[in-house]
Amino acid sequence: MNISTQWKRRAGAYAVWAALTWTGAAAQAQQVQELATGLQHPWGMAFLPDGQGILITERTGALRLWQADGKLSGPLAGTPQVLARSQGGLLDVALSPQFAQDRLVYLSYAEDGDGGSGTAVGRGRLAQDNSGLEGFEVIFRQEPKLSSGQHYGSRLAFDRDGMLFVTLGDNNQRPTAQDLDKLQGKTVRLNPDGSVPQDNPFVGRQGARPEIWSYGHRNAQGMAVHPQTGAIWQNEHGAQGGDELNIVQAGRNYGWPLATHGVNYGGAPIPEARGQEVEGTEPPHHVWTPSPAFSGMAFYTSERHPQWQGSLFMGALRDQSLLRLTLDGDKVAGEERLLRDRGERIRDVRVSPDGQVYVLTDSRQGKLLRVSP
Ligand SMILES: [Ca+2]
């Protein structure tokens, strides 16, 4: 690194620090309503139309429905058998883009198999009385199965064309994130029925899995579609340090474990790492050290809270906060850390169709919160 680059980096760091200080000074207390308690490690949520409630996954295996009158259902019927161990279990939930017609609910989860465990995605039809899923079928499996309990990903998001994106962790098997014949450390892009879109970047390339959209990811646990550009935004856990925000594009390599700003827990370098930025790999769009340990994310576009319009919310587990990033175009212009005084790990954040911000906290007594400025 030459002196001019060093100076630019320091100047960049100073600009971020200044922005932090400024937004910190402008920060005001938020109003927080506890809507439900006693959720067992809730992980993901999805809003049913017409105010019918929120589907919530619990990592321990249940899909439950919270209704606006405060009622929290027991486990819905018809959900898959999951491997609820360590970081695995029932993970994300998303509604079909045509939910009003097809009533399909998508779930991601960890499952056991030959050699270890991995991420799977399936879908079932929500019964008319919302009591359970009918005809649940697996549409995708991460292969091979290499996890012993860690790094499953696995956020779900449909883009504007109705394609399903899934984040897949590296299963804590670092080098596999660079292997195009494996589904560890990848983002995949699927048709809604799980088949492979023929315009995926690696279709037809020998030795590469055609499901892959982007690769070189460690463990992306947040994903959202940008409301104006339609691009796929993700956050990703670094190791110790180096948590990333990425805008993932077709066929690109996001670096892990060759390029990282993080080190192993305890401070030893990542064995495969060649530097923070490595030619042929995409640098992070934005990077955080120390690691907040990001979780779910959501863009805020509603007019309900004008002071939050245009923000990007991201949950943080280790930092026990809700990050509100302000954006200038795609650039991160500032950040504010909300809910820190509560001392709770944040697992997911989503914005409802009517512009309310909902948060899940991660514990054996997890909560559903509604946050307002
Ligand atoms: Ca990266």
Side-chain angles (χ1 to χ4, degrees):
M1 191 191 299
N2 64 33
I3 290 190
S4 146
T5 315
Q6 272 184 9
W7 185 85
K8 276 186 213 149
R9 287 208 175 161
R10 282 187 194 151
Y14 181 79
V16 170
W17 176 82
L20 279 173
T21 308
W22 183 81
T23 55
Q28 287 170 356
Q30 290 77 49
Q31 191 193 337
V32 181
Q33 289 168 276
E34 291 192 1
L35 303 176
T37 56
L39 291 159
Q40 288 188 44
H41 295 286
W43 210 91
M45 57 183 146
F47 303 96
L48 294 181
D50 310 318
Q52 288 184 69
I54 307 175
L55 291 174
I56 299 173
T57 57
E58 291 178 315
R59 206 176 65 216
T60 44
L63 176 67
R64 302 175 73 177
L65 175 64
W66 177 87
Q67 290 168 296
D69 60 6
K71 218 185 291 170
L72 183 64
S73 79
L76 270 57
T79 59
Q81 184 78 42
V82 306
L83 176 73
R85 191 177 68 207
S86 188
Q87 296 171 2
L90 183 58
L91 301 172
D92 209 8
V93 54
L95 301 188
S96 158
Q98 279 83 44
F99 181 83
Q101 290 84 47
D102 61 26
R103 293 188 67 79
L104 287 171
V105 174
Y106 288 73
L107 298 173
S108 69
Y109 56 99
E111 64 169 11
D112 234 341
D114 279 349
S117 57
T119 302
V121 178
R123 63 179 186 178
R125 212 171 295 279
L126 185 65
Q128 286 299 333
D129 64 0
N130 296 340
S131 62
L133 301 184
E134 295 162 350
F136 188 86
E137 54 165 356
V138 177
I139 62 162
F140 170 83
R141 292 198 147 101
Q142 184 182 29
E143 292 169 342
K145 288 187 157 44
L146 298 175
S147 180
S148 54
Q150 292 171 302
H151 299 190
Y152 295 100
S154 56
R155 289 292 170 188
L156 303 171
F158 287 92
D159 76 353
R160 286 175 177 176
D161 300 328
M163 293 292 154
L164 173 61
F165 288 76
V166 187
T167 69
L168 299 171
D170 71 355
N171 292 174
N172 207 15
Q173 307 283 343
R174 290 185 309 266
T176 61
Q178 292 293 321
D179 296 343
L180 289 173
D181 62 345
K182 299 185 183 68
L183 293 173
Q184 277 66 28
K186 308 298 187 305
T187 307
V188 295
R189 176 176 179 260
L190 307 169
N191 289 315
D193 65 358
S195 61
V196 175
Q198 287 310 297
D199 58 348
N200 267 2
F202 295 108
V203 166
R205 187 193 290 199
Q206 214 175 359
R209 300 285 309 222
E211 300 94 334
I212 297 173
W213 173 259
S214 62
Y215 65 107
H217 299 292
R218 183 171 178 272
N219 196 21
Q221 300 230 331
M223 176 163 57
V225 177
H226 190 283
Q228 276 90 40
T229 66
I232 307 293
W233 288 46
Q234 291 179 358
N235 64 47
E236 177 173 324
H237 285 216
Q240 184 177 310
D243 283 14
E244 300 179 358
L245 179 65
N246 292 306
I247 303 172
V248 299
Q249 293 180 287
R252 302 278 177 89
N253 180 357
Y254 288 84
W256 178 256
L258 309 175
T260 177
H261 289 245
V263 295
N264 264 328
Y265 293 100
I270 304 290
E272 299 83 5
R274 297 185 206 147
Q276 293 190 335
E277 289 180 18
V278 171
E279 211 179 318
T281 71
E282 303 297 317
H285 184 63
H286 204 82
V287 66
W288 283 261
T289 299
S291 293
F294 291 125
S295 56
M297 63 191 267
F299 288 95
Y300 193 88
T301 56
S302 172
E303 287 168 11
R304 179 184 283 268
H305 305 312
Q307 58 274 63
W308 284 355
Q309 226 176 5
S311 301
L312 173 61
F313 286 97
M314 305 208 295
L317 296 157
R318 183 175 170 276
D319 194 61
Q320 302 186 335
S321 65
L322 176 65
L323 274 77
R324 184 176 73 86
L325 306 180
T326 50
L327 303 175
D328 177 6
D330 281 346
K331 237 181 86 214
V332 176
E335 74 168 50
E336 183 182 14
R337 298 196 183 195
L338 315 179
L339 308 187
R340 247 186 165 165
D341 53 321
R342 297 178 63 89
E344 291 173 303
R345 290 159 56 84
I346 306 289
R347 176 58 79 182
D348 199 11
V349 55
R350 299 295 167 115
V351 178
S352 64
D354 63 348
Q356 298 275 19
V357 176
Y358 290 85
V359 163
L360 293 173
T361 68
D362 175 51
S363 86
R364 285 173 64 186
Q365 294 292 326
K367 294 171 191 154
L368 172 67
L369 308 175
R370 185 160 56 210
V371 185
S372 314

